[in-house]
């Protein structure tokens, strides 16, 4: 297998590279090595062919695709950003770059594509009515409730506090940020490409990924990185709301394993047409079975790093998602993937693992 990993110097991409090498695959990386995200030059296994270039540059992409069987597209601008002024950068690095990549793949007749998507395409998580047990789509949380410490969403019909549930891939998609809109656009591009050129594509909707080589805290980092970075500075993690926000935290090596299985599932030969019973585009949640709260993550990292205990601030941001947890049954049933690294083991490792910008980019 000859695999191209875009963004292969990054957090998740570098672990996919490691997993592919362990399978004996030939691996090529296309990465811009932007010093803003890679302040320390990354180190690669000598078996990796590294090409420095921008995925939005057609010439770089054409060179990177030469002789490739399958593409794992991890390159992206991530996070919520600072303001809407970030929108052009998100669109260029996520949507436009994906369009350039897919167009070049058609030229090379490379018909297998794995896309890094995200849980953010769903917006809010899944909920049920506490009395009927029926699914309910909540409206925005009110300022009055948030000020009063009522953080869980209510039923728009009865006002009852809703019960969080696991989210399946059939849930309505409701991107609520520029980043989320760009990830959904990537999925639409991949689906349209697969239908038009006869390719096959899988979108992996990552939930809360954590682990070694995670970037330091920036406006684009995840909550686990923010907590870990605070502890590295000797500061207590600052937990918003009451800390009971539910998430599906999944270790980065488990996410890498999902990418390997997805690449294998797309077919054995470059340029092969999909089987008649195979969907040309398929999305999968990638999240741990066990649900944990943001407060539990902060507490675990504090304990394992022997740092200050978390501070639950009660502060809130009106647009934040309260609960979003994954059902990963589809990927388990169809690709045979399950998260293998338990919460305690993963957090224990992450509590002392270097972040990007220290030992490895």
């Amino acid at each position: 297998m000859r695999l191209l990993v875009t963004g292969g110097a990054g957090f998740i991409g570098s672990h996919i590279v490691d997993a592919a090498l362990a399978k004996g695959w030939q691996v090529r990386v296309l990465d811009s090595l932007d010093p803003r995200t890679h302040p320390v030059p990354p180190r690669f296994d000598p078996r990796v062919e590294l090409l420095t270039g921008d995925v939005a540059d057609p010439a770089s992409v054409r060179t990177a695709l030469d002789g490739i069987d399958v593409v794992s597209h991890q390159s992206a601008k991530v996070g919520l950003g600072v303001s809407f002024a970030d929108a052009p950068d998100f669109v260029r690095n996520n949507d436009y770059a994906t369009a350039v990549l897919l167009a070049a793949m058609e030229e090379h007749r490379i018909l297998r594509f794995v896309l890094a998507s995200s849980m953010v395409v769903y917006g809010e998580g899944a909920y049920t009515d506490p009395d009927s047990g029926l699914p309910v789509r909540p409206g925005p949380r009110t300022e009055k409730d948030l000020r009063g410490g009522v953080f869980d969403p209510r039923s728009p019909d009865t006002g009852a506090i809703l019960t969080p549930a696991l989210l399946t891939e059939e849930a309505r998609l409701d991107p609520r940020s520029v980043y989320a809109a760009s990830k959904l656009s990537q999925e639409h591009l991949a689906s349209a490409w697969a239908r038009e050129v006869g390719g096959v594509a899988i979108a992996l909707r990552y939930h809360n990924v954590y682990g070694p080589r995670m970037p330091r805290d920036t406006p684009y980092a995840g909550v686990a990185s923010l907590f870990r970075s605070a502890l590295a500075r000797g500061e207590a993690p600052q937990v918003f709301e009451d800390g009971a926000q539910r998430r599906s935290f999944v270790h980065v090596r488990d996410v890498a394993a999902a990418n390997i299985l997805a690449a294998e599932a797309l077919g054995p030969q470059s340029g092969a047409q999909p089987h008649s019973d195979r969907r040309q585009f398929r999305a999968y949640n990638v999240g741990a079975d066990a649900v944990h709260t943001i407060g539990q993550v902060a507490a675990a990292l504090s304990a394992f790093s022997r740092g200050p205990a978390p501070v639950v601030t009660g502060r809130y941001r009106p647009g934040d998602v309260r609960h979003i947890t994954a059902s990963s049954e589809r990927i388990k049933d169809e690709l045979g993937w399950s998260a293998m690294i338990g919460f305690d083991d993963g957090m224990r490792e992450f509590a002392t693992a270097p972040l990007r910008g220290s030992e490895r980019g």
Side-chain angles (χ1 to χ4, degrees):
M1 181 87 78
R2 295 164 296 179
L3 175 70
L4 172 65
V5 183
T6 69
F11 170 42
I12 296 173
S14 66
H15 285 276
I16 294 170
V17 169
D18 291 346
L21 290 174
K23 297 279 291 185
W25 295 0
Q26 297 177 41
V27 180
R28 181 180 295 153
V29 166
L30 176 62
D31 199 297
S32 67
L33 299 183
D34 188 331
R36 293 172 297 179
T37 52
H38 298 282
V40 175
R43 298 192 297 271
F44 283 97
D45 186 291
R47 292 172 290 176
V48 175
E49 181 185 358
L50 172 63
L51 299 181
T52 303
D54 189 343
V55 182
D57 173 44
S60 295
V61 170
R62 290 191 192 100
T63 300
L65 288 173
D66 186 44
I68 291 297
D69 296 320
V70 60
V71 174
S72 175
H73 184 33
Q74 306 297 313
S75 173
K77 182 181 178 70
V78 301
L80 295 179
V82 176
S83 72
F84 202 83
D86 284 323
D89 206 23
F90 276 114
V91 170
R92 180 193 181 277
N93 286 285
N94 298 355
D95 305 337
Y96 177 70
T98 299
V100 168
L101 176 61
L102 291 171
M105 287 177 65
E106 180 184 16
E107 292 177 16
H108 284 70
R109 298 304 294 162
I110 300 168
L111 301 180
R112 291 187 282 164
F113 184 64
V114 181
L115 171 66
S117 188
S118 171
M119 68 178 188
V120 297
V121 300
Y122 295 114
E124 186 60 80
Y127 296 87
T128 60
D129 182 272
D131 296 322
S132 68
L134 295 174
V136 177
R137 189 75 178 180
R141 296 183 292 173
T142 68
E143 184 71 23
K144 179 181 178 182
D145 274 349
L146 292 171
R147 281 201 312 268
V150 179
F151 298 116
D152 288 313
R154 297 180 183 271
S155 166
D157 297 324
T158 68
I161 298 294
L162 297 174
T163 303
L166 297 181
L167 193 73
T168 72
E169 291 85 354
E170 302 306 322
R172 190 180 80 184
L173 303 181
D174 182 23
R176 298 185 176 188
S177 68
V178 173
Y179 171 58
S182 74
K183 297 310 289 183
L184 184 54
S185 178
Q186 284 184 299
E187 288 196 17
H188 289 162
L189 285 167
S191 178
W193 166 85
R195 290 183 177 90
E196 184 166 334
V197 308
V200 282
I202 287 176
L204 299 176
R205 293 174 180 164
Y206 303 155
H207 283 250
N208 289 75
V209 187
Y210 72 95
R213 308 174 203 161
M214 201 171 190
R216 293 181 180 277
D217 57 334
T218 73
Y220 312 96
V223 67
S225 175
L226 298 177
F227 293 159
R228 172 71 178 78
S229 297
L231 288 162
R233 298 191 300 267
E235 301 170 2
Q238 302 291 301
V239 180
F240 276 30
E241 300 186 11
D242 57 359
Q245 305 95 310
R246 292 159 54 98
R247 298 290 189 272
S248 295
F249 288 91
V250 59
H251 195 280
V252 66
R253 287 197 294 274
D254 282 327
V255 172
N259 277 269
I260 297 300
L261 286 170
E264 291 176 327
L266 292 178
Q269 295 179 346
S270 176
Q273 294 294 320
H275 299 300
S276 59
D277 61 347
R278 178 181 292 158
R279 294 175 176 85
Q280 289 186 293
F281 174 84
R282 191 71 161 154
Y284 295 99
N285 284 331
V286 179
D289 289 334
V291 171
H292 289 88
T293 68
I294 287 175
Q296 287 173 324
V297 170
L301 291 174
S302 291
F304 290 134
S305 66
R306 301 180 183 275
V311 174
V312 178
T313 66
R315 292 164 53 200
Y316 59 86
R317 291 172 294 209
D320 278 358
V321 171
R322 175 60 174 174
H323 303 297
I324 181 164
T325 52
S327 167
S328 295
E329 287 303 308
R330 176 186 286 183
I331 192 171
K332 185 182 300 182
D333 292 343
E334 297 184 8
L335 300 188
W337 178 87
S338 292
M340 303 301 294
I341 299 173
F343 180 80
D344 285 346
D345 289 342
M347 289 294 166
R348 183 181 292 107
E349 177 194 30
F350 181 49
T352 56
L355 298 173
R356 191 192 306 165
S358 51
E359 293 184 10
R360 174 169 179 162

